[in-house]
Amino acid sequence: DLPSLRRRQRQMCIRDRDDIYLSFRSAETGYLAVYMVDDAMQTYCLLPFGSEESGIVPVCADYRYVFFSQQVYQNTLRKDPNQKYYTQCPFELQVTCVSEMEQNVFYVLFSPNKFVKAIDTVNPESGLSELPFADFQKWLVKMRNFDPQMQVQKIDIQVTRQ
């Protein structure tokens, strides 16, 4: 069973090379973006993926979205085929750990209003967009001041080598 980044769960502990997924559901239609900040204070845009120019993922009200795991999506769909489920992500997410323990923070951003993504650069090796944490923080403060309806959920993830 894969660890899930759930809205109610604000901290989780996982092991090096564990696969994780994000399950998301909203009562209203809007837009979603997901960022991860690692121990080195580098920020990665996980959703939308890579060089997608929109900067946000549109989400519909009352759909359950499963990101980063085709396996979880397929299992969920089999359990309840009458529910509205959706997956949109070209990659599986595996968290790695270089030292004995690392602390990562996932930022799940949702707004009923469109917003622009942070200015970043696509890393040719990983395919992920990245930027320094200080730049991400400035962008996030600006977006939240501009859009008081933007919701930000921080999820702390402790990754260990054991």
Side-chain angles (χ1 to χ4, degrees):
D1 197 28
L2 298 177
S4 168
L5 296 173
R6 290 211 173 116
R7 198 162 186 266
R8 290 173 295 223
Q9 190 173 3
R10 296 195 181 183
Q11 181 169 10
M12 60 187 292
C13 298
I14 60 176
R15 293 188 185 129
D16 181 44
R17 306 239 179 257
D18 275 354
D19 295 323
I20 61 174
Y21 70 95
L22 170 69
S23 178
F24 180 85
R25 187 174 184 172
S26 174
E28 62 184 319
T29 296
Y31 302 91
L32 178 70
V34 178
Y35 290 85
M36 182 192 79
V37 179
D38 67 9
D39 248 8
M41 301 307 285
Q42 188 67 8
T43 305
Y44 301 90
C45 181
L46 302 178
L47 283 178
F49 178 73
S51 60
E52 290 182 34
E53 292 182 16
S54 68
I56 49 180
V57 175
V59 292
C60 296
D62 300 322
Y63 273 73
R64 178 172 177 217
Y65 290 81
V66 177
F67 297 102
F68 313 127
S69 177
Q70 287 293 330
Q71 173 193 353
V72 172
Y73 170 71
Q74 293 299 329
N75 291 342
T76 305
L77 194 57
R78 273 192 286 268
K79 288 179 186 173
D80 194 353
N82 296 322
Q83 287 293 319
K84 300 176 187 175
Y85 292 106
Y86 184 77
T87 185
Q88 174 185 329
C89 194
F91 68 98
E92 305 278 314
L93 184 58
Q94 186 178 78
V95 178
T96 58
C97 183
V98 177
S99 55
E100 286 302 309
M101 185 192 77
E102 293 181 10
Q103 188 73 30
N104 295 329
V105 180
F106 283 75
Y107 288 80
V108 180
L109 286 61
F110 173 81
S111 178
N113 308 306
K114 282 187 175 183
F115 56 94
V116 296
K117 76 181 225 173
I119 297 173
D120 52 28
T121 305
V122 176
N123 180 321
E125 289 181 29
S126 68
L128 294 173
S129 297
E130 55 186 62
L131 69 154
F133 180 66
D135 294 347
F136 171 72
Q137 282 288 84
K138 289 176 193 172
W139 169 82
L140 187 56
V141 167
K142 183 179 174 182
M143 289 298 101
R144 293 190 82 183
N145 285 333
F146 180 73
D147 182 359
Q149 292 181 299
M150 178 177 277
Q151 300 171 41
V152 178
Q153 180 71 47
K154 284 176 56 174
I155 303 168
D156 294 310
I157 298 184
Q158 187 179 65
V159 186
T160 60
R161 292 203 55 104
Q162 300 182 22

